[in-house]
Amino acid sequence: PAPSWGEGQTWAVVVGIDDYVRESIQDLRYASADAKLFSQAMVDLLHVPKDHLFVFTSDSVESSQTPTRLNLVYRLDWLRKNAKAEDKVVFFFAGHGANVDNESFLMTEESDNRSVETLKASALGT
């Protein structure tokens, strides 16, 4: 049986970014693998239905499952509109982050760190 997290359903947005588009952002080696392992653990240990997992990795061949800012904003907005008050939403992010002028950002696959303004326009604000 699934562990009890109380009432409601569990949803998860899982992100792993190894390969950044901009050369100025250092690539990572295990972020995509970590995201895949985390999502598998959600299924195996917490019995989260696979259709409640939204996995975005930089090695995905499906353009709708790549960790772009637009894909992530879309899915988070969809969950905001569709998850019920009693539901749980888990967000897992393996990738680079940045802190600029006391603002924190999660750097998406196509983030642009040339300036504060390009970072704000291309990364996820926290």
Side-chain angles (χ1 to χ4, degrees), residues 22 24 100 105 112-122:
R22 292 206 60 83
S24 59
V100 179
F105 299 92
D112 186 327
N113 63 347
R114 289 179 293 175
S115 73
V116 173
E117 292 308 313
T118 59
L119 186 62
K120 287 180 181 180
S122 63

Side-chain angles (χ1 to χ4, degrees), residues 47-69:
H47 307 284
V48 175
K50 287 187 180 188
D51 65 344
H52 285 203
L53 284 171
F54 304 101
V55 181
F56 301 89
T57 59
S58 53
D59 62 355
S60 177
V61 293
E62 292 290 325
S63 63
S64 64
Q65 295 173 333
T66 58
T68 64
R69 185 178 190 279

Side-chain angles (χ1 to χ4, degrees), residues 13-17 20 28 31 35 38 67 72 91-97 105-109 124:
V13 174
V14 180
V15 182
I17 307 171
Y20 285 87
L28 298 171
F38 183 84
L72 297 176
F91 183 79
F92 175 93
F93 185 88
H96 286 301
F105 299 92
L106 298 176
M107 298 179 77
T108 58
E109 183 177 66
L124 284 178

Side-chain angles (χ1 to χ4, degrees), residues 16-20 26-34 58-59 94-96:
I17 307 171
D18 288 326
D19 187 23
Y20 285 87
Q26 184 176 359
D27 287 341
L28 298 171
R29 293 181 64 182
Y30 304 109
S32 292
D34 288 348
S58 53
D59 62 355
H96 286 301

